Amino acid sequence: MAEVAPDPAVDPIGYVALKHAHPRWIAEAFALALGPEAGELQQALAADDARPTVHLVARPGEITAEELALITGGEEGPWSPYAVRLESGAPGELEPVRQGLAAVQDEGSQLIARALTLAPIEGEDTGRWLDLCSGPGGKTAFIGGIAAMEDAHVDAVELSAKRAGLVEKATSGMPVTVTVADGRESGLEPGFDRVLVDAPCSGLGSLRRRPEARWRKTPADLPALTQLQLELLTEAVRLTRPGGVVIYSTCSPNLRETRGIVDKAVAKLDVTELDAHGLVEPMDRVGQFKSVQMWPHRHGTDAMFFAVLRKNG
């Protein structure tokens, strides 16, 4: 027997959730994240059903986005100066990708990695940078490319030996050292200028790439994830020198994994949240807070989130 659609006047969230084949709890989480713009919920869910374009990253120091666009026939991305977008195709067969000059990477991921290298720190940047949850290596490779030009060095920590191998492959020839360890107990010495915590999350921001995943995830997944996220962020702050910065990011717009974690960190840890909006200009409509929330229906990226925290002292 077919499910009866809710009355949109009585239950608008239930109506659009059924219309766009999303579990109700995910639709509710998106509505909360959209906040005052919750009227966009239907567009946000519809974007999960649309086929995403292919995003390429021009490896910093290897090739420009303009050159990559000319070679591939794509268009330069509107937000990241390293992005090229293709309507379709097999990116692995493209010559720049085969040569390691470019890679597949969502434009939102590029902006987060770039933000780590641009966020304002206090005092001298000594070139000690850290990616605390580095697998499979896309953001690490971006950061490593910038580090090579800035005479910096990146430590990359990954719990899974298999994923650590992918990081090593992605960063071959770059000033990157990969350590197989739990990010909560890396064994690294504190004193990093810049630390990225691209935390394990529910992945609700990339459902357009894995439509079936929406039915595999449940709210019961969140308590363990949010505990892990806060523990990783706490360790990241410990490893950061006073005046250094931590970028906390997730591929999820769920407030429990985004603002919930950041607000706890600001309340409990010795950090100050910085305004991140300027780090993604000219991108606009990134949320009402100091952090940045991207959306497929607004920006053509995955629904990625990041915040910038500077350690006090």
Side-chain angles (χ1 to χ4, degrees):
M1 184 176 179
E3 185 175 353
V4 177
D7 184 338
V10 177
D11 183 9
I13 291 180
Y15 174 78
V16 296
L18 181 62
K19 179 179 179 180
H20 295 287
H22 282 66
R24 182 187 181 93
W25 77 272
I26 293 180
E28 291 174 341
F30 279 30
L32 286 172
L34 285 164
E37 307 297 332
E40 295 180 20
L41 179 59
Q42 180 155 302
Q43 296 106 290
L45 298 185
D48 279 348
D49 296 329
R51 182 178 180 179
T53 57
V54 176
H55 291 191
L56 299 179
V57 59
R59 293 289 195 207
E62 298 290 343
I63 191 173
T64 67
E66 181 181 14
E67 291 168 338
L68 182 59
L70 288 172
I71 294 170
T72 61
E75 293 186 357
E76 293 181 57
W79 317 122
S80 165
Y82 299 90
V84 169
R85 295 186 178 189
L86 304 174
E87 285 302 317
S88 60
E93 298 177 2
L94 297 171
E95 195 62 26
V97 175
R98 291 164 62 93
Q99 294 179 359
L101 303 176
V104 177
Q105 186 176 47
D106 185 83
E107 193 168 358
S109 292
Q110 297 175 38
L111 290 175
I112 291 171
R114 182 171 179 258
L116 180 75
T117 71
L118 295 178
I121 64 174
E122 293 178 341
E124 180 187 359
D125 188 336
T126 65
R128 286 194 70 199
W129 301 355
L130 171 63
D131 186 348
L132 199 59
C133 310
S134 60
K139 292 185 181 69
T140 319
F142 186 105
I143 296 164
I146 300 293
M149 295 187 288
E150 298 290 335
D151 198 24
H153 183 273
V154 181
D155 278 286
V157 176
E158 172 52 45
L159 177 61
S160 162
K162 181 177 181 180
R163 286 166 64 88
L166 296 175
V167 179
E168 289 182 335
K169 182 178 180 180
T171 59
S172 177
M174 298 178 182
V176 176
T177 300
V178 181
T179 300
V180 180
D182 187 326
R184 295 168 292 182
E185 300 177 350
S186 67
L188 297 174
E189 289 294 320
F192 289 94
D193 301 287
R194 303 176 184 276
V195 180
L196 172 63
V197 183
D198 187 33
C201 69
S202 64
L204 298 185
S206 58
L207 294 180
R208 61 186 185 147
R209 303 189 186 278
R210 295 181 290 275
E212 74 287 349
R214 69 188 71 174
W215 303 110
R216 297 177 183 170
K217 302 177 185 297
T218 72
D221 300 331
L222 292 176
L225 280 172
T226 54
Q227 179 179 347
L228 174 61
Q229 290 158 358
L230 186 58
E231 289 174 352
L232 286 165
L233 183 51
T234 299
E235 177 62 5
V237 172
R238 189 188 74 81
L239 290 170
T240 305
R241 68 162 177 82
V245 292
V246 178
I247 302 282
Y248 172 77
S249 68
T250 67
C251 187
S252 170
N254 191 317
L255 289 177
R256 292 174 64 181
E257 302 179 85
T258 59
R259 289 306 317 175
I261 301 299
V262 172
D263 290 343
K264 287 178 182 177
V266 171
K268 296 181 178 182
L269 306 176
D270 193 19
V271 295
T272 299
E273 184 175 7
L274 305 182
D275 191 331
H277 292 199
L279 298 174
V280 295
E281 290 180 345
M283 180 181 277
D284 59 2
R285 301 187 67 209
V286 292
Q288 58 183 318
F289 304 102
K290 292 181 178 180
S291 50
V292 168
Q293 178 63 66
M294 307 175 214
W295 290 97
H297 70 285
R298 289 182 184 174
H299 310 113
T301 67
D302 288 347
M304 308 199 76
F305 167 92
F306 79 93
V308 183
L309 304 175
R310 186 159 62 199
K311 187 170 182 176
N312 297 328

